[in-house]
Every structure is written in C-alpha cells, then in structure tokens.
Amino acid sequence: MRRKLAAGNWKMNGTTDSLGVVAELADTHPDPSVDVLICPPATLLARAAGHGAIAVGGQDCHAATSGAHTGDISADMLKDAGATYVITGHSERRTDHGETDAEIAAKSQAAYEAGLIAVICIGETLDEREGGTTLTVIDTQLAGSIPETATAANTVIAYEPVWAIGTGKVPTTGQIAEVHAHIRSRLSERFVDGDGMRILYGGSVKASNAAEIFAVPEVDGALVGGASLKAADFSPIISALENA
Ligand code: 13P
C-alpha cells in the first residue's frame, strides 16, 4: 500500500512571515493519514522544520557533497537543516538552469546518499503534447533521471506537464490516467519494488480540482505550487487526499 503524499513547492516565494503557514498546517493536521511535505526556499528550511507532522524538503541539491560551488546547496546540508525530501529535476530547473536527465540522476543519487527522499520531476511541454510525443518524452526522462539505486522508500515521481504549471490549465483526468499508468508500468518493469513508488500529479492543482485528480488511478498525491503558499488553500487539498 502506497502512503499518499501532499507536497507543496513554494518555489522562490516566502520570507519569515510565511513560517506561519507551516505552523497553521501543523495545527490543522496534527495527525494526517497522508504524508504532508512543504518545500520552502532554502532560507526558511531550518526554521520550517520541526512543525508537527509537516515534513520539509529542499527544492534542489547539488550532486556533490561539498566543495567550490558558490551558491549551491548539498543534499547533506539540506538534511542537516531538517529536510527529509528534496525535489530534483523540476521543469523550472530544467529550463532556467539547463539541467539534463544525467545531472538530475546524479542529484537524486546524492539525495539518497544523504538519506533524503528524492521527488524526481518529469513532464512534457505543450509542443511535445501537441506533437504526440508525450509518452516518448516521459520514457526518456524516466530512463535518464532515475538512478539504478532508486527504491520505493527513497523515490517519489512527480508527473508535472510543463504546460499545466502555473497556468490554470489541467489535463483531463483521462490524460492524467494515461501518463500515470504508463509511468507505473515503466517503474514496475525496471525496479523490483516499482509498484510501491509513489507517483504524484503536479500542475495547477487547487482545492476545487483536487478530489477529481486524486480519484484517478495511480495518482498517489500532488506536488502543488501556488495553492501551497497559503494554509487556507493547501489545507483542503490535504483533506481531499485524506478522503480519496
Ligand atoms: P502550480 O501548482 O503553481 O501550477 O505549480 C506546480 C508545480 O510546479 C509544483 O512543483
């Protein structure tokens, strides 16, 4: 049985005041029946940690454990700050920083070695969707971004269609079902415990569409951007997942 996961990615949003969101979520969900994760900016990570049942994670890590990499953060440092998860390969990292599948696999491997769970992100662009190559793109990203050492315990896959991120556009439940089923079959073929790896959907998830998305087979939770920035928006998404 896969334990569901409601994950919030704050991206480059949040200052000290935002810590109240984590405290409020911890108060509202003292004993959730699903895992709840907030990935704040690195500046808030240590202070966001330790709030009840709310796990915290990084949004990226370097593949090396330490060294001359100005501005970068290692997986060990995230762990030291209280993180239990780290997002790797988010489409904004792939686009803004030119991250390749091989780099994402190396970062995910670094996460495992630090004892973190990697939330490895994949997803097609609008051009790829319209060109009919979605599943081919997904296959390439799955093959290249997930280390051989991945297990159900150290890896979560997040399917985030790039065209659905921050746009208010959401794939149909049929489109989500097709890609999630495809990812599940690839994970099961490649990993002995691939059936146990959680697969999240991400892209314009909000309280009003969460229940419908969570009812799709093989959707084990969500990676939420904008709607995770306020407790009033994220809390009903957590509740929807608990009730799914
Ligand atoms: P939105 O929920 O704002 O569309 O962002 C999704 C996302 O990129 C989460 O990682």
Side-chain angles (χ1 to χ4, degrees):
M1 198 49 194
R2 298 183 294 268
R3 187 165 162 95
K4 292 177 177 161
L5 172 61
N9 173 11
W10 284 6
K11 309 189 179 185
M12 198 171 72
N13 297 290
T15 50
T16 300
D17 285 352
S18 317
L19 294 167
V21 173
V22 186
E24 195 177 332
L25 289 171
D27 281 351
T28 314
H29 302 275
D31 187 21
S33 60
V34 299
D35 289 340
V36 181
L37 167 67
I38 292 289
C39 297
T43 48
L44 294 179
L45 190 57
R47 286 178 288 161
H51 286 84
I54 314 299
V56 296
Q59 299 177 9
D60 174 52
C61 66
H62 197 278
T65 47
S66 63
H69 303 289
T70 302
D72 278 312
I73 299 173
S74 74
D76 282 334
M77 292 169 180
L78 295 174
K79 172 92 174 171
D80 179 59
T84 47
Y85 289 78
V86 60
I87 297 169
T88 56
H90 191 280
S91 69
E92 288 148 18
R93 301 283 321 169
R94 291 177 186 261
T95 303
D96 294 357
H97 300 272
E99 291 189 7
T100 63
D101 286 333
E103 285 165 344
I104 293 156
K107 288 174 179 225
S108 303
Q109 180 64 37
Y112 303 159
E113 284 165 19
L116 298 179
I117 299 169
V119 180
I120 305 176
C121 302
I122 58 172
E124 82 285 2
T125 63
L126 188 58
D127 277 356
E128 290 160 347
R129 165 66 61 179
E130 289 177 347
T133 58
T134 296
L135 297 183
T136 316
V137 169
I138 294 294
D139 278 346
T140 304
Q141 292 176 336
L142 284 173
S145 309
I146 310 180
E148 285 309 321
T149 49
T151 66
N154 66 19
T155 301
V156 175
I157 304 300
Y159 168 55
E160 298 204 303
V162 178
W163 52 275
I165 295 176
T167 59
K169 291 186 192 139
V170 182
T172 64
T173 51
Q175 288 172 323
I176 297 174
E178 180 191 29
V179 178
H180 276 244
H182 185 80
I183 295 169
R184 174 67 61 213
S185 72
R186 288 288 182 263
L187 295 176
S188 301
E189 281 161 18
R190 182 168 160 204
F191 299 102
V192 283
D193 59 356
D195 276 347
M197 283 182 191
R198 295 177 287 183
I199 308 173
L200 310 183
Y201 168 77
S204 297
V205 176
K206 42 189 189 282
S208 59
N209 61 20
E212 188 186 10
I213 292 168
F214 294 151
V216 175
E218 307 298 341
V219 171
D220 300 312
L223 182 55
V224 182
S228 70
L229 295 171
K230 290 185 187 156
D233 293 333
F234 196 46
S235 178
I237 295 174
I238 297 169
S239 299
L241 189 59
E242 289 187 296
N243 294 326

